[in-house]
Amino acid sequence: MNTKWHLLWALVIYVIQPQFACAQSAEPGETGRFRINQIGYYPKGEKKAVILANPGQKFSVIDESQRVVFQGNLSTGPMSRLSGEKLSYADFTDFTGSGTFRLSVEDLDYSAPFQIAGEVFEPALKAAVKGFYYLRMSTPLLAQNAGQWSRPMAHPDTALLFDPSSGHHEGFYSSPGGWYDAGDYNKYTLNGAFSVGIMLALAEEYPRALPDGSLNIPESNNGESDLLDELRYELQWLLTMQDADGGCFHKITTKKFEGFVMPHQALNQRYVVGKGTAATLNFAACMAQAYRVYQSVNPDFAAHCLVAARNAWDWDRRHPDVVFRNPAGISTGEYGDRDFTDERQWAAAELWITTHDPQFLAYIEARKTPIEFRVGSNWQWFAGNLGIFSLLRHPGGLPESLRSKLEHSLTRVADDLLLSMDSLDYRQPVRTFHWGSNSDELDAAMILAQAYRLNGNKSYLDAVGEINDYIFGKNATGYSFLTGYGSHPPMHIHHRQSGSDSIKDPVPGLLAGGPNQFKQDVRSGAVYPDKASPMQCYADQQASYASNEICLNWNAPLVYVLGFLEASVR
Ligand code: G3I
Ligand code: 9MR
């Protein structure tokens, strides 16, 4: 080609290019109009996106060489205007090719690239479990496992003092190990046990998820699933939280939250605080469940868990109504709960499955609504569901009438969730956005996943996929909420290590709490987007502990949902 033609081509490319260049510079969440699953979609799964454009316009799926591989028309969707936006919907489920793609709409820019591939969420699943490894305390995180997020040993927790609320007054206590609860450096029995229980459900249902060697944690290549290795790190700590009388201490904590310093620089005295019914019942439940899961790989450990579970249950029989409240002088996370019926349902279910002792069935039969869905503070009400999920997984020996009551309760709640999703802007199940709203979305997905496991109705499976899409970017903020994953992830989570390690990227694999319309952190300096609708009340700022903290009981249902999808969408 001679020079004249070269110049002409350069001119043509210059004229065409700006459209594409504009795509590259679009900032999802700020100006991005493409609310997609930023990781991608399964070739055989549903593929939906929400676009801020007019219904009726054409949309295209474009491959890496800018070829149009699929076209469709944007449709009007649910009538809801909860998001305050004018939305249209792209459905490209019929496109089943694999590769890297973008969406584009006539006269608009392009979406960020996303993948369509089998096992497309495997990296995110691994990251979400590895996120728990990054929260380990009482151990150094070595560079060979933690890369740039390695850190020295911190919080040995071998010389704790007793707060009188623990029932003890003198001497030191040792309770090493476990995971930090969240962005703070404390550990709470109730929430740790609840989160472990959610992930033990995945281990029971899909034992091949996270096989040995998949996570590069210190125990990798020991011949056991890395998921079980990671969960045992927390279970071993939890065992230290049981007092001699069978009851469980509520938490290990400083008097007030530490500042934004690295773990090994957070040196304030830590205390054993409280002992209560909710913590003890969650402990009983997850230990009875652990017995089943670890029995074949580590029988001694499993046997220890079952003894601990029974002792905790017996303590509950003697102390069925001990509410935990923060005692004077302690201002860290309370995890206060007054209604123990759901925790008791969970514990009774796990103990019944493990022992088949008939005394436990009465506590399950007593509950009118065995499955329930609410929003806000899932650690207060979701535990009962975990017990029913386990019973439906192990129905052998259940009285027929009880079994059909549980199944009916599950499908009724799942059907209600489908109706909500059909009516809401981003086809998500939640309309009120509380602290940790992402976990409300994911808890709904867990219910739908169980309903799918029960009767194979594909609408339930598709709904789980759509909730997963919401978490990874098909939402009114444009963020993919898992650190390190997606084209627009959170960068400034409320997490003390991430905020003080001088590393640009936050610790990966941690799920932000998500939109919170109650904005309890405004007085601490969080600034939310102007005129934000409830589902846009999210601030990617360190100050925003009410929308941008990370927490065990939010990551755990994400692990379950990703593990379920990886095993189910084929
Ligand atoms: O239910 C009320 C509602 O009726 C009211 O309109 C609304 C507005 O004030 O508040 C609702 O209650 C909120 C509740 O969450 C419901 O979700 C409370 O204000 C709010 O304080 C509470 O937040 C809890 C938060 O701790 C503060 O206690 C979160 O559920 C809980 O997940 C969070 O947990 C913290 C731990 O304490 C410490 N570690 C980090 C962890 C995550 O942030
Ligand atoms: O940093 C704390 C966070 O880890 C907790 O989840 C949250 C729960 O209340 O509280 C945060 O601490 C804030 C405190 O509550 C109010 N003053 C500002 C603190 C954050 O800097």
Side-chain angles (χ1 to χ4, degrees):
M1 216 187 288
N2 65 29
T3 323
K4 208 166 81 191
W5 279 108
H6 259 304
L7 281 173
L8 193 59
W9 266 116
L11 187 67
V12 169
I13 286 165
Y14 178 77
V15 171
I16 293 171
Q17 192 70 10
Q19 207 186 7
F20 206 74
C22 163
Q24 314 258 12
S25 65
E27 278 188 43
E30 310 283 334
T31 59
R33 292 163 176 268
F34 293 86
R35 309 286 165 77
I36 57 173
N37 188 320
Q38 295 172 20
I39 306 281
Y41 302 85
Y42 291 109
K44 293 191 181 147
E46 259 202 338
K47 298 172 205 72
K48 291 185 175 170
V50 176
I51 303 180
L52 278 69
N54 291 324
Q57 278 181 278
K58 238 186 197 46
F59 74 90
S60 308
V61 180
I62 294 174
D63 72 7
E64 281 181 297
S65 43
Q66 296 174 48
R67 266 187 321 135
V68 172
V69 292
F70 182 86
Q71 278 197 315
N73 289 321
L74 295 177
S75 61
T76 52
M79 290 312 288
S80 163
R81 290 288 170 265
L82 204 60
S83 68
E85 300 160 311
K86 194 168 146 208
L87 305 175
S88 68
Y89 300 80
D91 186 344
F92 50 109
T93 305
D94 289 345
F95 177 66
T96 55
S98 297
T100 303
F101 303 94
R102 294 173 184 252
L103 289 185
S104 97
V105 171
E106 296 170 332
D107 306 329
L108 274 185
D109 52 10
Y110 293 72
S111 75
F114 58 88
Q115 306 293 313
I116 299 182
E119 297 170 11
V120 67
F121 291 104
E122 190 185 81
L125 167 62
K126 287 181 179 170
V129 183
K130 181 101 182 231
F132 289 89
Y133 162 77
Y134 286 115
L135 295 174
R136 286 188 188 189
M137 68 183 87
S138 317
T139 184
L141 302 193
L142 301 179
Q144 66 206 57
N145 304 117
Q148 62 178 331
W149 295 284
S150 64
R151 54 173 163 82
M153 159 80 180
H155 295 112
D157 283 351
T158 48
L160 305 162
L161 294 178
F162 287 108
D163 181 84
S165 60
S166 64
H168 295 261
H169 300 270
E170 281 169 15
F172 292 100
Y173 193 69
S174 181
S175 178
W179 304 313
Y180 296 118
D181 183 56
D184 64 321
Y185 289 141
N186 307 306
K187 47 190 178 188
Y188 308 81
T189 306
L190 178 154
N191 203 39
F194 175 54
S195 307
V196 165
I198 290 171
M199 291 185 281
L200 283 174
L202 178 68
E204 270 203 307
E205 289 170 8
Y206 306 103
R208 283 194 297 276
L210 292 315
D212 188 28
S214 52
L215 297 181
N216 183 24
I217 55 177
E219 299 79 5
S220 289
N221 304 317
N222 66 356
E224 260 178 49
S225 142
D226 280 4
L227 176 61
L228 294 196
D229 286 332
E230 193 51 54
L231 297 181
R232 190 170 37 214
Y233 197 79
E234 182 77 350
L235 282 160
Q236 270 162 338
W237 162 65
L238 282 166
L239 286 167
T240 72
M241 291 302 274
Q242 186 170 42
D243 201 2
D245 63 357
C248 290
F249 301 121
H250 192 77
K251 60 177 170 176
I252 304 295
T253 181
T254 44
K255 288 195 166 180
K256 47 186 187 157
F257 287 115
E258 293 274 13
F260 265 72
V261 295
M262 287 293 283
H264 61 283
Q265 294 162 335
L267 297 171
N268 284 305
Q269 178 63 46
R270 288 156 75 85
Y271 295 83
V272 182
V273 177
K275 185 191 279 187
T277 302
T280 303
L281 283 168
N282 275 8
F283 173 96
C286 86
M287 290 298 164
Q289 204 181 358
Y291 171 78
R292 299 195 299 274
V293 174
Y294 289 90
Q295 203 180 10
S296 59
V297 291
N298 197 333
D300 291 346
F301 176 69
H304 189 165
C305 292
L306 184 54
V307 171
R310 279 191 172 279
N311 289 341
W313 176 267
D314 291 344
W315 188 89
D316 171 63
R317 297 296 74 224
R318 303 192 302 276
H319 308 274
D321 51 11
V322 185
V323 174
F324 175 79
R325 299 303 311 267
N326 260 341
I330 305 275
S331 61
T332 53
E334 185 167 76
Y335 286 117
D337 192 359
R338 289 192 196 83
D339 176 358
F340 308 126
T341 55
D342 60 312
E343 286 84 4
R344 196 166 289 122
Q345 171 171 287
W346 182 28
E350 300 299 349
L351 278 157
W352 183 79
I353 298 163
T354 300
T355 66
H356 276 236
D357 179 339
Q359 64 157 313
F360 298 116
L361 278 183
Y363 300 94
I364 301 155
E365 276 163 339
R367 271 192 118 213
K368 285 209 183 64
T369 50
I371 293 285
E372 58 175 339
F373 181 70
R374 293 193 232 156
V375 284
S377 301
N378 62 356
W379 45 271
Q380 274 178 342
W381 57 268
F382 195 80
N385 292 339
L386 296 180
I388 307 307
F389 299 164
S390 289
L391 286 171
L392 294 175
R393 197 181 305 133
H394 301 278
L398 264 190
E400 198 43 48
S401 59
L402 179 57
R403 179 175 169 170
S404 81
K405 175 178 159 186
L406 302 182
E407 291 181 356
H408 182 72
S409 177
L410 174 63
T411 49
R412 191 184 51 74
V413 176
D415 290 342
D416 285 350
L417 289 168
L418 290 184
L419 284 178
S420 296
M421 291 177 70
D422 279 342
S423 71
L424 293 173
D425 310 35
Y426 281 85
R427 298 186 46 77
Q428 85 286 356
V430 166
R431 68 175 73 229
T432 306
F433 294 81
H434 282 272
W435 194 311
S437 69
N438 281 340
S439 70
D440 294 330
E441 311 281 358
L442 290 162
D443 289 340
M446 282 192 75
I447 293 173
L448 289 156
Q450 292 298 320
Y452 175 71
R453 285 172 52 83
L454 181 66
N455 65 17
N457 177 345
K458 187 161 175 301
S459 315
Y460 298 140
L461 178 62
D462 290 342
V464 178
E466 283 216 59
I467 294 172
N468 188 52
D469 295 341
Y470 173 97
I471 295 294
F472 286 101
K474 184 164 74 73
N475 61 59
T477 70
Y479 278 88
S480 163
F481 288 114
L482 186 69
T483 53
Y485 287 79
S487 41
H488 193 51
M491 292 301 287
H492 310 286
I493 49 174
H494 186 87
H495 176 238
R496 282 161 173 74
Q497 176 176 347
S498 298
S500 55
D501 62 6
S502 314
I503 297 167
K504 178 169 166 275
D505 289 323
V507 170
L510 300 174
L511 181 72
N516 177 358
Q517 68 195 68
F518 301 102
K519 305 188 252 188
Q520 290 94 334
D521 47 14
V522 166
R523 78 186 98 94
S524 304
V527 181
Y528 285 80
D530 232 14
K531 303 199 183 105
S533 68
M535 58 195 306
Q536 292 168 327
C537 288
Y538 170 71
D540 181 20
Q541 295 155 17
Q542 184 176 293
S544 184
Y545 51 84
S547 82
N548 206 29
E549 192 166 359
I550 57 96
C551 204
L552 303 180
N553 60 311
W554 307 338
N555 250 63
L558 178 63
V559 166
Y560 178 86
V561 165
L562 291 171
F564 164 82
L565 285 173
E566 279 292 296
S568 309
V569 185
R570 286 279 169 256

